[in-house]
């Protein structure tokens, strides 16, 4: 029953999308959209054997705010690198960061955060010892990236998922 309650927001989201695509709100459209969303939710549960139950919604909101700030800041930095290439000495490279997080959902979200942030790419993760290989477009200080991943992202994700 807990997994059904967890997926009710997904059913509601699918219903809203259905109504937006249908471009009209009638009782029949709402009923049909709810049924389609509910059936899709039920069939998707079989494909996801490991469900995530995030804890601490305030930490989640804090992480979202941190990510939005970092993405905006990184956008300006990368724009400066592109618009004024002679002003910056570009040194790209890899940073290897050992991770403590083991939850697959937390790792997936960390991968999304890193990939969404311009100038960084999640290049790999060793499954044996969980070492993240991160490619950075403008690598000046490896320790700064280590602190960013460990303290800003991983610590919050571990609070949310583990």
């Amino acid at each position: 029953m807990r997994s059904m309650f967890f997926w009710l927001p997904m059913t509601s989201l699918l219903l809203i999308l259905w109504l937006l695509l249908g471009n009209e709100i009638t009782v029949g459209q709402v009923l049909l959209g709810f049924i389609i969303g509910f059936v899709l939710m039920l069939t998707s549960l079989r494909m996801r054997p490991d469900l995530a139950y995030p804890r601490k919604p305030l930490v989640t909101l804090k992480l979202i705010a941190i990510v939005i700030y970092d993405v905006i800041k990184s956008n300006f930095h990368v724009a400066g690198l592109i618009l004024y290439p002679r002003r910056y000495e570009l040194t790209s490279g890899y940073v290897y960061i050992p991770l403590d997080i083991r939850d697959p959902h937390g790792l997936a979200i960390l991968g999304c955060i890193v990939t969404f942030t311009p100038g960084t790419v999640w290049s790999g993760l060793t499954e044996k010892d969980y070492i993240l290989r991160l490619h950075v477009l403008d690598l000046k200080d490896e320790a700064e990236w280590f602190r960013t991943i460990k303290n800003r992202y991983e610590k919050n994700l571990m609070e949310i998922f583990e």
Side-chain angles (χ1 to χ4, degrees):
M1 185 65 183
R2 184 175 177 189
S3 63
M4 291 295 232
F5 178 74
F6 179 75
W7 284 98
L8 279 178
M10 179 60 76
T11 303
S12 302
L13 178 67
L14 291 171
L15 171 63
I16 291 169
L17 288 173
W18 178 264
L19 293 174
L20 287 172
L21 289 172
N23 207 19
E24 67 176 314
I25 299 177
T26 63
V27 175
Q29 286 291 331
V30 171
L31 187 62
L32 183 61
F34 182 80
I35 290 170
I36 289 173
F38 191 74
V39 168
L40 287 173
M41 181 267 310
L42 284 177
T43 57
S44 70
L45 283 176
R46 302 188 92 197
M47 294 186 283
R48 294 197 50 169
D50 204 16
L51 295 177
Y53 296 101
R55 298 166 200 78
K56 301 190 180 181
L58 292 177
V59 177
T60 304
L61 292 174
K62 176 181 144 187
L63 179 64
I64 289 170
I66 289 171
V67 170
I68 289 171
Y69 173 77
D70 287 348
V71 167
I72 291 170
K73 184 176 141 187
S74 183
N75 270 308
F76 283 115
H77 182 71
V78 171
L81 290 172
I82 293 169
L83 295 174
Y84 308 107
R86 294 179 195 260
R87 184 184 299 178
Y88 298 100
E89 184 179 320
L90 190 64
T91 54
S92 62
Y94 289 96
V95 180
Y96 296 90
I97 303 169
L99 297 177
D100 297 322
I101 190 168
R102 297 295 186 258
D103 184 77
H105 300 97
L107 286 169
I109 291 175
L110 181 61
C112 290
I113 290 170
V114 167
T115 304
F116 292 160
T117 307
T120 59
V121 175
W122 176 293
S123 298
L125 177 72
T126 59
E127 291 182 24
K128 187 173 78 171
D129 46 6
Y130 286 85
I131 295 179
L132 164 65
R133 183 174 62 195
L134 178 69
H135 183 270
V136 180
L137 178 64
D138 189 27
L139 181 62
K140 298 280 190 240
D141 183 18
E142 287 187 27
E144 179 186 345
W145 284 102
F146 186 86
R147 283 190 306 273
T148 298
I149 297 296
K150 296 294 280 182
N151 296 335
R152 290 177 70 86
Y153 304 139
E154 185 186 31
K155 183 178 86 172
N156 289 320
L157 286 169
M158 287 179 72
E159 261 187 82
I160 294 168
F161 287 106
E162 293 184 353

